[in-house]
């Protein structure tokens, strides 16, 4: 089976290594580079109706060469249910795969029955090591749809935009005769320019649809919408948990989000099943069980009698025994600060369980509908999640870490008569493998001819007769924002590389808690080195950026000095210099840089700043009580760029607060990033750069000059007839730099807060 000719605009700002299916150049809009409307569904470029799109698919199916793919009338229907932030331990079928000491980490009796999710494992295949490319909503979803790692999708960070030139599995399905629908949370940026983030997609507006013909119930935003209400036939009102005039008591089975989307899915299928020779594909994306922990009655109190215990790994993190990795980024001495935000509180986890129970009950209704309508045997059903949820494991809440609770998500697939019942796939599999595997499984290999996926077609193993598949040599990769860490993962081992710490090697079989580093054991050295080489190669192939070496341990703000007129500089400044200049500074005869910044002098600290300047982080006061104060009274926002400019005392305060999302600006907090200020009069001086008084030959530096209290004295020093200060310290001469009350910082150094001593008349002239 082949794909009808698709025309994609040329890439802007994406890896040149990406090659897509039979791409032909499309003229770009001169004003915006890549117009949202420049994607054409035909070579003629005409706008097509839904019926025309379907008929194109029918023609494609009829033109299929005999024996090259599945005949069109045998194509299965496809239903994909994606939850949000679901821990795999919350399902009975996954607990059955765990050791006894791993089944009940929140305490004995803390068990959630999920019979309908479990039925997919019983009647199909369960994946015990389904790894997401990045444990965050947007990047993970982009990889799932496209089969590409985040750096190539354009949606490599949360709230990013999936590039319109990226083909998705839905696009290929539609071009081969499927009617495709998407319901629920999109979270791949706004599908329609100018539309409010929370809006459903308007039928009146044209926008790029990424292969989903029916998007009547897709909302682009990520605003934790929980309820949906009919206003008329084409519009629905959304309520969020923050709408005080819409009490939670008003949430019902009719309007609560999870129930709403399952019901709408059944309605779409009911209409579609009546159209002959047109299989359907429906992807439903739910908000639950993502924070905030709220759900409708009776699920909100269904598990109120459960008493959750602190997980053993959380206690180990609090005790720092064994020593925890530095990429973990939490200080357990102030662990209670997280309670108001993420909340290791009984009620939160009780409601978390209620949200999952509601999902399971609704899935049961959907599966029953398929059975009652005789659709069960010819429908592929997939259940998965965009990322995991730590729920207190290792003292962490949310996701974002390379621990299994964060990167290893549930994935179950049922395909009656094709996938063996009760099959267990233990081999490490990535969410980027889903698109090529699904397409090849239902359409045949010719459907993906010419498409360069990062993922691998695993469908042969999905469909074979082996009950258990476990290939310990199969490696997949996961990384986090700004590459605070990069992980190479198999079914047995996990190697984590980070610029913040030495390598960590976890043995997932002997140590499923992921507490101990096996990197330094002789019997693991060869396997660790093998994974390291694979990881380094993967970073280059898939365009994962990281420092030239994760071995940099220098303090970026630490100063080194040379002769008096040479001045004082820091490791951050040294790391940014071209090698020839860096070598000059690192010459022991010129300065002590080789002692202060040894890794920088070795070239290990180049490109350390990977933070994106416009990324927002939230941070909150340590004494904040969310129950008594509103969130925004306690908390604030900064971009990495603004944070890098902050006074050192404030920046240190923000970066040290436990509730701050410092993982989004890790290198800024470490001191490696100092972004350019747009103000041309901003202080850019090197605090340690020297100037010399011409009459007395007295040498001072810019830091000293900035501390001169009296403006007249400072201007006198800066006169060209008196010194070269105006040339070497222009910011201090303008008064743009100040060290009287606060420290100030530029790329090349820090000037500590100080009061300049009264200068003698000899020094001033």
């Amino acid at each position: 089976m082949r794909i009808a000719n698709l025309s994609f605009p040329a890439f802007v700002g994406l890896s040149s290594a990406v090659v897509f299916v039979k791409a032909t150049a499309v003229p770009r809009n001169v004003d915006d580079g890549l117009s949202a409307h420049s994607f054409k569904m035909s070579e003629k470029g005409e706008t097509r109706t839904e019926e025309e799109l379907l008929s194109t698919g029918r023609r494609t199916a009829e033109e299929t060469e005999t024996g090259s793919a599945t005949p069109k009338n045998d194509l299965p229907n496809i239903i994909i249910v994606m939850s949000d932030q679901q821990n795999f331990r919350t399902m009975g079928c996954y607990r059955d795969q765990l050791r006894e000491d791993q089944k009940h980490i929140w305490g004995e009796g803390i068990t959630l029955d999920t019979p309908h999710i479990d039925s997919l494992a019983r009647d199909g295949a369960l994946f015990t090591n389904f790894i997401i490319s990045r444990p965050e909503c947007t990047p993970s979803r982009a990889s799932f749809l496209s089969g590409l790692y985040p750096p190539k999708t354009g949606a490599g960070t949360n709230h990013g935009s999936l590039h319109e030139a990226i083909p998705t599995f839905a696009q290929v399905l539609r071009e081969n005769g499927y009617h495709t629908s998407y319901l629920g949370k999109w979270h791949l940026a706004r599908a329609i320019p100018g539309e409010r983030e929370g809006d459903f997609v308007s039928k009146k507006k044209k926008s790029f649809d990424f292969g989903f013909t029916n998007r009547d119930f897709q909302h682009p935003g990520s605003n934790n919408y929980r309820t949906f209400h009919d206003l008329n036939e084409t519009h629905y009102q959304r309520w969020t948990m923050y709408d005080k005039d819409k009490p939670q008591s008003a949430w019902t089975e009719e309007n609560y989000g999870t129930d709403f989307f399952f019901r709408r899915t059944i309605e779409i299928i009911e209409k579609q099943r009546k159209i002959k020779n047109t299989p359907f594909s429906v992807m439903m994306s739910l908000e639950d069980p993502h924070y905030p922990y709220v759900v409708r009655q009776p699920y909100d109190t269904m598990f109120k009698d459960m008493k959750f215990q602190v997980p053993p790994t959380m206690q180990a993190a609090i005790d720092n025994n064994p020593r925890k990795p530095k990429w973990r980024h939490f200080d357990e001495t102030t662990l209670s600060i997280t309670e108001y935000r993420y909340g290791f509180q009984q009620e939160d986890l009780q409601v978390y369980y209620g949200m999952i129970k509601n999902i399971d009950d609704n899935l049961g209704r959907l599966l029953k509908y398929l059975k009652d309508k005789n659709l069960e045997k010819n429908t592929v059903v997939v259940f998965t999640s965009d990322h995991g949820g730590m729920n207190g494991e290792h003292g962490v809440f949310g996701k974002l870490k390379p621990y299994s609770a964060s990167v290893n998500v549930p994935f179950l697939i049922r395909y009656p008569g094709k996938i063996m019942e009760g099959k267990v796939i233990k081999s490490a599999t990535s969410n980027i493998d889903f698109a090529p595997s699904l397409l090849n499984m239902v359409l045949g290999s010719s459907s993906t001819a010419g498409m360069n996926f990062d993922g691998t077609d695993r469908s042969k193993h999905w469909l074979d007769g082996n009950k258990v598949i476990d290939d310990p040599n199969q490696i997949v990769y996961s990384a986090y924002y700004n590459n605070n860490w990069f992980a190479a993962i198999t079914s047995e081992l996990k190697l984590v590389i980070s610029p913040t710490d030495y390598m960590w090697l976890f043995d997932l079989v002997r140590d499923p808690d992921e507490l101990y580093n096996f990197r330094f054991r002789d019997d693991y050295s060869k396997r660790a080195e093998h994974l390291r080489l694979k990881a380094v190669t993967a970073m280059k192939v898939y365009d994962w950026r990281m420092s030239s070496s994760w071995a940099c341990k220098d303090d970026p703000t630490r100063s080194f000095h040379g002769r008096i007129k040479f001045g004082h500089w820091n490791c951050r400044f040294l790391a940014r210099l071209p090698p020839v200049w860096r070598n000059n500074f690192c010459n022991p005869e010129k300065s002590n840089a080789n002692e202060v910044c040894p890794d920088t002098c070795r070239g290990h600290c180049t490109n350390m700043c990977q933070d994106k300047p416009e990324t927002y982080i939230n941070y909150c006061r340590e004494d904040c009580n969310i129950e008594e104060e509103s969130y925004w009274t306690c908390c604030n926002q900064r971009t990495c760029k603004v944070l890098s400019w902050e006074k050192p005392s404030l920046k240190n305060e923000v970066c040290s607060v436990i509730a701050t999302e410092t993982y989004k600006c890790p290198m800024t907090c470490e001191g490696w990033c100092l972004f350019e200020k747009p103000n041309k009069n901003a202080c850019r001086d090197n605090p340690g750069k020297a100037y010399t008084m011409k009459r007395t030959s007295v040498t001072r530096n810019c830091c000293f000059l900035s501390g001169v209290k009296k403006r007249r004295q400072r201007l006198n020093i800066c006169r060209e007839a008196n010194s070269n200060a105006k040339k070497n310290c222009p910011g201090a001469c303008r008064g743009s730099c100040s060290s009287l009350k606060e420290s100030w910082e530029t790329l090349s150094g820090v000037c500590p807060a100080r009061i300049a001593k009264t200068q003698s008349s000899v020094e001033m002239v």
Side-chain angles (χ1 to χ4, degrees):
M1 190 165 290
R2 63 181 178 83
I3 306 176
N5 289 332
L6 302 180
S7 300
F8 301 108
F11 268 76
V12 173
L14 295 182
S15 171
S16 60
V18 184
V19 180
F20 293 101
V21 52
K22 300 177 182 178
T24 58
V26 173
R28 296 201 301 268
N29 185 309
V30 176
D31 296 328
D32 57 12
L34 277 176
S35 170
H37 303 287
S38 62
F39 184 90
K40 300 177 182 178
M41 292 308 299
S42 74
E43 291 181 350
K44 297 180 180 180
E46 71 272 12
T47 302
R48 298 189 183 184
T49 65
E50 180 175 327
E51 178 59 30
E52 287 172 335
L53 288 170
L54 290 175
S55 65
T56 298
R58 295 191 189 104
R59 287 196 299 271
T60 302
E62 292 164 1
E63 293 167 1
T64 301
E65 296 179 9
T66 304
S68 63
T70 306
K72 182 172 172 297
N73 55 3
D74 290 335
L75 292 176
N77 303 307
I78 301 167
I79 299 175
I80 301 166
V81 180
M82 177 177 283
S83 63
D84 196 329
Q85 196 164 307
Q86 185 167 354
N87 186 298
F88 62 84
R89 300 180 199 272
T90 59
M91 290 160 282
C93 55
Y94 273 87
R95 288 195 300 273
D96 291 343
Q97 300 295 323
L98 300 174
R99 295 184 342 194
E100 286 300 320
D101 62 333
Q102 297 293 308
K103 291 183 177 181
H104 306 289
I105 63 168
W106 296 292
E108 290 297 327
I110 306 299
T111 301
L112 175 60
D113 294 326
T114 52
H116 306 297
I117 296 175
D118 297 348
S119 72
L120 297 179
R122 181 192 66 231
D123 300 334
L126 176 149
F127 292 65
T128 61
N129 292 288
F130 194 81
I131 309 300
I132 53 175
S133 58
R134 178 169 284 181
E136 197 170 28
C137 297
T138 299
S140 174
R141 292 164 183 268
S143 290
F144 187 83
L145 290 172
S146 67
L148 300 173
Y149 278 116
K152 295 182 180 179
T153 65
T157 59
N158 220 23
H159 312 296
S161 299
L162 179 61
H163 202 289
E164 64 184 36
I166 301 290
T168 67
F169 70 80
Q171 198 169 314
V172 179
L173 290 175
R174 184 169 68 183
E175 286 299 312
N176 283 280
Y178 276 84
H179 180 276
T180 55
S181 303
Y182 191 102
L183 299 87
K185 177 178 177 179
W186 179 242
H187 207 174
L188 289 167
R190 294 173 181 170
I192 301 175
E195 216 172 49
R196 292 180 304 165
E197 187 180 61
D199 283 346
F200 280 127
V201 174
S202 171
K203 292 182 178 180
K204 297 180 180 180
K205 294 183 179 180
K206 301 296 182 182
S207 66
F208 193 80
D209 58 16
F210 295 99
F212 294 102
T213 300
N214 184 338
R215 296 177 297 140
D216 291 347
F217 303 104
Q218 175 201 84
H219 66 87
S222 57
N223 289 5
N224 297 306
Y225 292 105
R226 287 296 193 258
T227 59
F228 301 84
H229 304 266
D230 296 335
L231 292 182
N232 51 54
E233 293 182 356
T234 61
H235 188 67
Y236 299 87
Q237 176 67 45
R238 296 145 308 283
W239 292 349
T240 77
M241 65 163 291
Y242 304 108
D243 290 332
K244 296 181 180 179
D245 58 330
K246 309 296 190 298
Q248 188 172 341
S249 60
W251 299 1
T252 68
E253 186 175 348
E254 291 300 314
N255 59 44
Y256 186 71
T258 296
D259 306 279
F260 179 89
F261 288 121
F262 269 100
R263 186 171 65 255
R264 295 299 180 183
T265 294
I266 291 175
E267 291 175 3
I268 289 173
I269 295 173
E270 180 63 21
K271 292 179 181 179
Q272 192 57 36
R273 74 181 183 87
K274 298 175 182 179
I275 302 176
K276 294 182 179 180
N277 299 322
T278 304
F280 60 80
S281 171
V282 180
M283 181 169 179
M284 173 175 35
S285 175
L286 307 172
E287 293 272 3
D288 291 350
H290 192 286
Y291 174 90
Y293 302 125
V294 290
V295 69
R296 71 169 176 87
Q297 299 173 347
Y299 297 98
D300 56 339
T301 58
M302 189 173 289
F303 300 96
K304 62 183 179 63
D305 295 330
M306 283 189 174
K307 302 300 180 185
F308 290 81
Q309 306 300 314
V310 171
T313 57
M314 183 177 187
Q315 189 61 53
I318 294 172
D319 297 338
N320 198 24
N321 184 22
R323 181 260 200 194
K324 55 188 176 293
K326 292 182 179 179
W327 39 255
R328 208 180 136 278
H329 280 312
F330 284 105
D331 177 7
E332 283 67 39
T333 60
T334 56
L335 189 62
S336 61
I337 300 299
T338 64
E339 291 184 1
Y340 81 90
R341 178 116 189 250
Y342 298 109
F344 190 63
Q345 300 173 354
Q346 298 302 317
E347 183 179 353
D348 287 343
L349 291 179
Q350 290 163 2
V351 174
Y352 183 82
Y353 267 37
M355 296 161 88
I356 297 172
K357 186 63 176 177
N358 185 27
I359 292 173
D360 187 71
D361 287 348
N362 274 285
L363 180 64
R365 297 185 187 100
L366 176 59
L367 296 178
K368 182 178 184 301
Y369 167 82
L370 295 177
K371 184 176 183 180
D372 292 345
K373 300 299 181 179
N374 296 319
L375 296 171
E376 181 181 48
K377 293 183 179 180
N378 194 40
T379 300
V380 177
V381 180
V382 173
F383 183 88
T384 188
S385 189
D386 62 346
H387 53 75
M390 295 295 293
N391 294 349
E393 294 189 51
H394 296 274
V396 178
F397 300 88
K399 57 270 187 185
L400 315 178
K401 307 301 176 187
Y403 293 119
S404 292
S406 173
V407 301
N408 192 351
V409 300
F411 184 87
L412 304 113
I413 182 169
R414 186 184 75 179
Y415 188 2
K418 299 291 185 178
I419 294 179
M420 177 184 291
E421 295 183 359
K423 189 183 189 78
V424 177
I425 297 180
K426 298 183 178 181
S427 304
T429 307
S430 174
N431 62 343
I432 67 169
D433 298 333
F434 173 73
S437 300
L438 175 72
L439 294 175
N440 281 280
M441 180 175 71
V442 301
L443 297 176
S445 59
S446 60
S447 67
T448 58
M451 299 182 72
N452 277 8
F453 293 106
D454 290 340
T456 302
D457 172 21
R458 311 283 187 192
S459 60
K460 182 177 70 174
H461 298 300
W462 296 9
L463 298 171
D464 69 21
N466 295 315
K467 191 83 170 180
V468 178
I469 295 178
D470 186 4
D471 180 1
N473 296 316
Q474 193 163 297
I475 305 173
V476 297
Y477 306 98
S478 184
Y480 186 57
Y481 198 89
N482 299 327
N483 294 315
N484 173 255
W485 53 262
F486 185 92
I489 305 171
T490 72
S491 60
E492 297 180 349
L493 298 173
K494 179 186 297 178
L495 183 77
V496 182
I497 299 175
S498 171
T500 64
D501 205 348
Y502 46 67
M503 289 191 303
W504 279 72
L505 180 70
F506 296 110
D507 187 323
L508 303 177
V509 178
R510 298 178 62 181
D511 176 34
D513 284 326
E514 299 173 283
L515 292 174
Y516 299 96
N517 189 358
F518 289 77
R519 169 68 181 86
F520 301 106
R521 291 185 47 158
D522 291 340
D523 51 338
Y524 283 82
S525 59
K526 290 184 178 180
R527 284 182 286 176
E529 180 62 13
H530 172 70
L531 285 178
R532 187 191 72 81
L533 293 175
K534 289 288 187 180
V536 171
T537 300
M539 281 189 274
K540 295 178 181 178
V541 171
Y542 301 123
D543 198 27
W544 294 95
R545 296 181 182 179
M546 189 176 277
S547 167
S548 57
S549 172
W550 46 267
C552 178
K553 300 297 184 294
D554 291 347
D555 179 348
T557 62
R558 192 177 178 191
S559 296
F560 61 91
H561 60 83
R563 295 188 298 271
I564 293 178
K565 294 183 180 181
F566 186 88
H568 295 255
W569 310 82
N570 62 22
C571 300
R572 177 178 59 210
F573 173 78
L574 185 62
R576 295 168 65 100
L577 291 176
V580 61
W581 283 97
R582 185 170 63 242
N583 293 338
N584 187 45
F585 275 87
C586 292
N587 185 338
E589 297 180 1
K590 299 290 182 68
S591 75
N592 67 336
N594 200 43
E595 299 175 7
V596 176
C597 313
D599 289 335
T600 306
C601 284
R602 297 188 190 104
H604 290 174
C605 301
T606 58
N607 301 321
M608 286 299 287
C609 180
Q610 299 289 327
D611 296 355
K612 293 187 179 298
E614 302 307 321
T615 297
Y616 277 95
I617 68 170
N618 298 306
Y619 69 94
C620 309
R621 297 196 324 266
E622 291 197 29
D623 60 347
C624 177
N625 187 331
I626 198 65
E627 295 180 356
E628 298 179 1
E629 305 177 66
S630 67
Y631 178 83
W632 292 114
T633 301
C634 294
C635 305
N636 209 329
Q637 284 187 330
R638 289 285 190 279
T639 62
C640 296
K641 184 176 184 178
V642 172
L643 181 62
S644 74
W645 301 340
E646 294 287 10
K647 299 169 184 177
S649 58
L650 178 59
K651 184 168 73 172
N652 291 336
E653 178 183 342
V654 171
C655 290
S656 63
V657 174
I658 187 67
T660 298
E661 299 171 323
T662 51
Y663 52 78
K664 292 186 177 179
C665 305
M667 295 296 102
T668 301
C669 283
E670 290 286 334
W672 285 108
C673 299
L674 198 64
F675 298 102
E676 186 70 13
K677 291 186 178 182
N679 183 359
K680 64 180 181 179
N681 293 320
C683 178
R684 295 179 176 84
D685 293 353
N686 166 27
K689 193 166 185 177
Y691 66 89
T692 303
M693 302 302 298
K694 294 183 177 180
R695 174 182 266 181
T696 63
S697 298
V698 172
T699 299
R700 300 293 188 188
N701 60 30
C702 300
C703 182
F704 181 88
L705 179 60
S706 71
V708 176
K709 292 182 178 180
K710 296 183 179 181
R711 180 172 178 270
R712 181 178 296 179
Q713 289 180 330
R714 187 176 69 249
L715 293 178
N716 192 31
I717 294 173
C718 292
R719 290 177 59 192
E720 293 183 3
N722 292 336
S723 74
N724 61 342
K726 186 175 182 180
K727 176 182 178 182
N728 291 355
C729 310
C733 286
R734 288 194 307 268
S736 301
C737 308
S738 174
S739 64
L740 296 179
K741 296 181 180 179
E742 291 284 351
S743 300
W744 57 273
E745 181 178 12
T746 59
L747 180 68
S748 50
V750 177
C751 176
R754 57 188 277 280
I755 302 296
K757 296 180 179 180
T758 302
Q759 296 162 306
S760 68
S761 59
V762 175
E763 292 176 332
M764 298 304 301
V765 295

